[in-house]
Amino acid sequence: TTVITNLTLRPNNAKMVDPPNSRGYAGVTSIFGITAFILMWVGSIRCNFIKFPVSASTAVNDDLSTDVSMQLGLWYFEWLSLLFNPNGTYLFESCNGYPEGVTMDAAWKAARAFSVLAFILGCFMLVASCVSVCSSQHPGYYLTYVWESPMYLLTALCQGLTLLMLSSNACDSFVLTELGINFPESERVSFAQTCSLSTGAKVNISAMSMWAAAGILSFLAHRSERKEMAEEMVDADLQEPLAPAEA
């Protein structure tokens, strides 16, 4: 009777398994996600999403810079105060909430709604990413999940739709009149008729790009992890001992 145990069979052309890539992809995904969340918060909460530059033809006050602009955010608007005295003109800026009398059209309300959705999804993905990294240290838990990539991309979509603010009535200078911001003609300061991108909108675009990149990297991490698991199963099958041969 011959008993063969602990025999490992490996084909001659078998390739060595590459070092795991899933953890690298997952780590970079978390970095992109955290960066996107910070950018989203900075870009959405302030009062500098869009701006109305001072009209060049009327900004003739020697003490006012031509790059001064009136800025509006999704939730707050910038209040400008001018103080004139013999020593010069001083400009004071502050962020205030919109009064009830301001008219908000459907595009403006939609932009605010998508901003809230992006924030909720961003918080969820941030927590889910931390939980995945911690739980992956225990057997039976995965580092990545198939739903993470679509969720990141959905967050990127909601983040991008906050740019509906640019097609809303907030981008018409009439809203400045509703806010009581247009200065008297005697002070020779007026603003452009239509808005342009300000810092907040540009930061939101960066956040959208980061969320989208996190989604792509999450997909690569999940695919890499599944590939690594399949290779480990093949190696485990090859290393199983053969059944004892019958006499």
Side-chain angles (χ1 to χ4, degrees):
T1 303
T2 303
V3 179
I4 302 176
T5 59
N6 298 327
L7 179 63
T8 301
L9 299 178
R10 182 182 294 274
N12 294 331
N13 61 348
K15 297 181 180 179
M16 297 297 293
V17 178
D18 295 331
N21 292 321
S22 58
R23 290 194 176 275
Y25 282 130
V28 177
T29 299
S30 298
I31 293 174
F32 273 70
I34 294 172
T35 303
F37 184 84
I38 295 173
L39 292 174
M40 174 186 65
W41 179 266
V42 173
S44 299
I45 201 64
R46 292 288 297 165
C47 55
N48 58 351
F49 198 89
I50 57 177
K51 64 181 178 180
F52 293 88
V54 172
S55 299
S57 60
T58 58
V60 296
N61 194 310
D62 295 336
D63 297 317
L64 289 178
S65 173
T66 56
D67 60 356
V68 172
S69 60
M70 180 61 222
Q71 302 189 94
L72 304 181
L74 291 168
W75 307 97
Y76 304 97
F77 70 97
E78 182 183 55
W79 180 263
L80 298 178
S81 301
L82 291 176
L83 176 62
F84 296 92
N85 60 38
N87 296 325
T89 302
Y90 299 92
L91 179 67
F92 296 92
E93 304 175 358
S94 61
C95 288
N96 297 333
Y98 290 103
E100 295 182 358
V102 174
T103 304
M104 297 185 182
D105 62 3
W108 193 345
K109 293 178 180 178
R112 298 177 73 166
F114 282 116
S115 175
V116 173
L117 286 175
F119 179 77
I120 294 174
L121 292 173
C123 288
F124 174 78
M125 294 308 301
L126 194 63
V127 173
S129 177
C130 294
V131 171
S132 297
V133 171
C134 295
S135 63
S136 64
Q137 306 299 326
H138 304 282
Y141 290 90
Y142 299 113
L143 180 63
T144 61
Y145 295 91
V146 67
W147 50 265
E148 290 183 358
S149 179
M151 287 294 288
Y152 276 121
L153 295 177
L154 179 60
T155 308
L157 176 63
C158 292
Q159 189 75 59
L161 288 174
T162 60
L163 295 176
L164 286 171
M165 181 82 167
L166 297 172
S167 61
S168 70
N169 66 321
C171 213
D172 189 331
S173 63
F174 179 74
V175 72
L176 302 182
T177 303
E178 290 186 323
L179 292 170
I181 293 175
N182 274 334
F183 293 101
E185 185 64 26
S186 60
E187 296 178 356
R188 298 175 292 179
V189 177
S190 62
F191 297 95
Q193 294 298 314
T194 57
C195 73
S196 57
L197 291 176
S198 189
T199 304
K202 295 176 182 178
V203 171
N204 267 266
I205 293 174
S206 299
M208 177 187 66
S209 302
M210 288 290 182
W211 286 126
I216 296 173
L217 289 170
S218 179
F219 170 77
L220 295 176
H222 180 72
R223 186 178 65 175
S224 180
E225 184 180 25
R226 293 298 174 267
K227 181 179 178 182
E228 293 162 9
M229 292 175 63
E231 291 174 346
E232 289 175 0
M233 292 178 62
V234 171
D235 287 344
D237 292 339
L238 291 175
Q239 293 177 6
E240 289 182 357
L242 297 179
E246 297 181 358

